[in-house]
Amino acid sequence: MADEAIFLLLHNEMVAGLYRAAEQGEGENGRCTTKLESMGFRVGQGLIERFTKDTARFKDELDIMKFICKDFWTTVFKKQIDNLRTNHQGIYVLQDNKFRLLTQISAGKQYLEHAPKYLAFTCGLIRGGLSNLGIKSIVTAEVSSMPACKFQVMIQKM
Amino acid sequence: NSELFTLTYGALVTQLCKDYENDEDVNKQLDKMGYNIGVRLIEDFLARSNVGRCHDFRETADVIAKVAFKMYLGITPSITNWSPGGDEFSLILENNPLVDFVELPDNHSSLIYSNLLCGVLRGALEMVQMAVDVKFVQDTLKGDSVTEIRMKFLRRIEDNLPAGEE
């Protein structure tokens, strides 16, 4: 869909632009991932406010995670999370077998070392969304073979 | 879902304002990023829209306003203020989806918030052999009643032949 195309282009240019600026010495390299993650965080907070304006109250933490996996992921990435696992002690693993932001990069292991750059924003997105639902978390991502990836959410007890 | 794009764009501008000391540098960076997006967007656009080659700048204006803007931003700007020579026109946007939820603080009065759009248009048109100058002349964020983008045709870009060939 056209609106997905412009988001994809904007996201990829944001990643490229930040790393370009870092190379030219306008900032340290390690900060790029942090910047992308915090941008995602702001967007996640804003989006979740809009999406949950009229929804019913969530029953519990698992209910919230299911919302993220189904409604939230569908609105943002036009598909649901393929697999959700949890240890029922605050750790959730969200698996997306065909992550929209990676499908154009490669199918397999080529460019694997660049994949984390394209996941930082989305990690922030999830963390921001959860934050505005009252959940503090740490979100990381791992890829072993594109375009499949896993997002790990660790709930922080406050 | 346009909100994702709008919110992401807002986060980008905010981050750039933190990274660069003055508004002019942010404007330049937005233009540059827009250009990079534009040179790729044109391919997506041509593939989706199936429009043929434009024969003159008027056709180009129509395609930009009625097809491209509609397709990507869901709005149809109106085309006005043609120059006598037919090489300059204005796009009038009654509402600019990029600025939903946005207010410019007082210390950023020279920021051209939507400057990415200028770069996108410039980059996209360059890929179809048109060198253009694009700039905002009115902006609802700065209190104007509409947002106006002025587009000027500079020259046709000829394909460069390799050195030594005729």
Side-chain angles (χ1 to χ4, degrees), chain A residues 3 13 20 26 35 50 75, chain B residues 1 3 19-20 36 72:
Chain A
D3 55 344
E13 183 52 31
R20 211 167 37 224
E26 283 158 34
K35 286 183 191 174
R50 313 279 301 161
T75 314
Chain B
N1 196 307
E3 284 174 7
D19 288 346
Y20 294 93
N36 291 340
Y72 292 110

Side-chain angles (χ1 to χ4, degrees), chain A residues 15-67:
Chain A
V15 175
L18 270 178
Y19 278 87
R20 211 167 37 224
E23 259 169 55
Q24 283 157 16
E26 283 158 34
E28 313 106 53
N29 212 312
R31 305 233 340 108
C32 291
T33 327
T34 315
K35 286 183 191 174
L36 285 164
E37 210 268 353
S38 27
M39 285 195 260
F41 184 79
R42 288 181 65 110
V43 178
Q45 285 184 309
L47 276 180
I48 212 87
E49 264 181 33
R50 313 279 301 161
F51 292 170
T52 57
K53 229 170 13 145
D54 300 314
T55 56
R57 189 188 276 279
F58 293 107
K59 291 198 295 275
D60 56 21
E61 195 177 272
L62 184 60
D63 213 28
I64 293 180
M65 291 311 299
K66 285 188 189 164
F67 175 80

